[in-house]
Amino acid sequence: MKLFQQMLVAGASLSLLAPVASQASDVLNLEEMNSYTRSQVNSSIIDSKTFINEVSEDIANLKGRVDGLEAKQNVLEAGGFSDTTTMDGKAIFTIGAVEYDDDSGNSEAVQAYYSYTMNLNSSFTGDDNLYVRIKSGNGGDFTTSKDYGTYLSSAKGNSDVLKIDKIWYQFPLGESNTFWVGPKIENYYMHGTSPSIYKPVTKQFTLGGNGNAYGASTDTGFGWAYKADNGFALSSNIGTKSTTTNGITGLLTDESKTSWATQIGYTQPRYSVSAIANVKSNGWGDSYYKAGDINGDAEDGDEYTAIGLRGWWRPDTAGTATPSISVGYDTTDYDSSTADAWFVGLNWQDIFNADDKIGAAFGQPTSNEDSDVTPFAYELYYAFKPNDSITVTPAIFGGSDRNGVSGGDVFGTVLETTFKF
């Protein structure tokens, strides 16, 4: 019995015994009391069984109330509002500006934006998960632009409206298989192997290069992944758009924009390698890591296949001069030409302080072989934590011929503050 329960039981017992003790202390004449006791012996003797039963009943009632209070306390501590759902979230403040070398007419003013995210995870069996992401923000201009690679990973541009940004359900089947299905999901959430461990500031450097092979778009999707105990994984998933600019096309029809990705990979604690084939149909577009027109002579609605190779490695211990390394290469086969891209991402952790991080990434965005330029992109940042819940990240980013046009150079800088809860 817990200490709190013992104290309640003891208090209840004393409260029942107190009247008896009080009567005993009021005795003034022993002879009269003895006489009274003898004359009332048959009627005034305390029934010990009755007393014990009454005390036991009171103790049981108190114990039941304590157990009920503890159960309610556990519910509140577990989820705050539900014993099946947990929530975490973050708010990000961004201030920055971008300079363009060409006559694009884009703003170069210093601007401030925010994004706010809540993640809800609900489990009904202990192994499944209903995931809902609610997100809002006022991102715009360079923070949500793909043309020059300035789109920020933190940005959300939906005019301050709080919306459901992602929602899907995943469940296991056996010990090694997982299935996903949802009206708002992206392909890469359903892969069996993580393609990169580099943490980017600009969205172009997510997934080891967010180009044709790994680029995705939020819409209806379903998928499956098999993960063996030895690190081998195989997955296949489909994202499809039932509503496009051409109207309601339905799911998985000949007119639907569709992305079908199949990945194979092998992962150990310090390294991973993987390959993916992504078949995209009817003008599916999603690349954040491209420079200008990458389709060549192909029509926008044609079907094409993108192949992506990924790998990463990390040192045994953090805090050394040796960084973790993530690399990627994509190639896309169009009707009469090909386009390719490559990426390198480096992260150093715990260099100056505990939990700080240095990041550097660079590479060639997806470019068609017939292009007259060779685009280049990069970013560099330092992230540090004033406390466990706040991260401050100053960063610079940019590129040359970044929009696929000669002279389309860009340079930007941002300061981001992340509040996690």
Side-chain angles (χ1 to χ4, degrees), residues 69-188:
L69 289 173
E70 287 186 341
K72 291 180 179 179
Q73 179 184 4
N74 291 336
V75 169
L76 290 173
E77 289 178 351
F81 49 87
S82 171
D83 57 354
T84 62
T85 303
T86 60
M87 187 195 79
D88 62 82
K90 62 183 177 181
I92 302 177
F93 295 170
T94 301
I95 184 170
V98 172
E99 181 182 35
Y100 305 90
D101 283 356
D102 58 7
D103 297 327
S104 62
N106 293 314
S107 173
E108 297 183 348
V110 176
Q111 303 172 58
Y113 297 98
Y114 83 93
S115 67
Y116 182 83
T117 305
M118 291 185 293
N119 300 300
L120 302 175
N121 291 277
S122 301
S123 180
F124 309 100
T125 67
D127 296 317
D128 62 342
N129 185 38
L130 173 65
Y131 174 71
V132 180
R133 186 170 82 179
I134 303 173
K135 197 167 184 178
S136 182
N138 65 343
D141 198 68
F142 76 88
T143 68
T144 55
S145 174
K146 299 180 182 179
D147 294 342
Y148 291 84
T150 60
Y151 202 121
L152 299 181
S153 297
S154 62
K156 182 63 179 179
N158 58 355
S159 304
D160 302 311
V161 177
L162 199 62
K163 291 183 177 181
I164 292 181
D165 181 63
K166 300 282 189 296
I167 179 170
W168 71 75
Y169 180 67
Q170 69 182 73
F171 58 94
L173 185 61
E175 296 182 356
S176 304
N177 296 280
T178 302
F179 290 84
W180 292 262
V181 60
K184 285 193 172 185
I185 190 171
E186 296 184 67
N187 297 77
Y188 57 79

Side-chain angles (χ1 to χ4, degrees), residues 157-341:
N158 58 355
S159 304
D160 302 311
V161 177
L162 199 62
K163 291 183 177 181
I164 292 181
D165 181 63
K166 300 282 189 296
I167 179 170
W168 71 75
Y169 180 67
Q170 69 182 73
F171 58 94
L173 185 61
E175 296 182 356
S176 304
N177 296 280
T178 302
F179 290 84
W180 292 262
V181 60
K184 285 193 172 185
I185 190 171
E186 296 184 67
N187 297 77
Y188 57 79
Y189 290 103
M190 300 179 279
H191 295 325
T193 302
S194 297
S196 172
I197 58 173
Y198 176 75
K199 182 175 176 58
V201 170
T202 56
K203 202 164 185 176
Q204 61 183 338
F205 291 129
T206 59
L207 305 168
N210 198 344
N212 284 348
Y214 275 93
S217 181
T218 301
D219 218 294
T220 306
F222 55 91
W224 155 82
Y226 168 81
K227 293 185 179 181
D229 294 336
N230 62 0
F232 171 80
L234 177 65
S235 61
S236 189
N237 52 73
I238 292 178
T240 181
K241 295 180 181 294
S242 59
T243 302
T244 68
T245 54
N246 297 325
I248 299 177
T249 59
L251 298 174
L252 299 177
T253 67
D254 292 339
E255 294 79 26
S256 301
K257 293 184 176 181
T258 303
S259 173
W260 176 22
T262 300
Q263 185 205 54
I264 185 171
Y266 180 75
T267 302
Q268 291 297 302
R270 292 182 55 195
Y271 67 90
S272 176
V273 291
S274 62
I276 190 172
N278 201 333
V279 181
K280 300 188 175 182
S281 308
N282 297 313
W284 179 287
D286 51 35
S287 178
Y288 294 85
Y289 196 48
K290 69 174 184 177
D293 181 13
I294 60 175
N295 296 350
D297 295 331
E299 297 294 331
D300 289 338
D302 288 350
E303 179 179 290
Y304 63 89
T305 300
I307 304 297
L309 304 177
R310 297 291 186 272
W312 56 261
W313 174 90
R314 58 185 163 204
D316 189 37
T317 58
T320 68
T322 304
S324 64
I325 303 173
S326 298
V327 295
Y329 174 76
D330 288 356
T331 182
T332 305
D333 184 21
Y334 295 104
D335 284 342
S336 58
S337 62
T338 60
D340 57 11

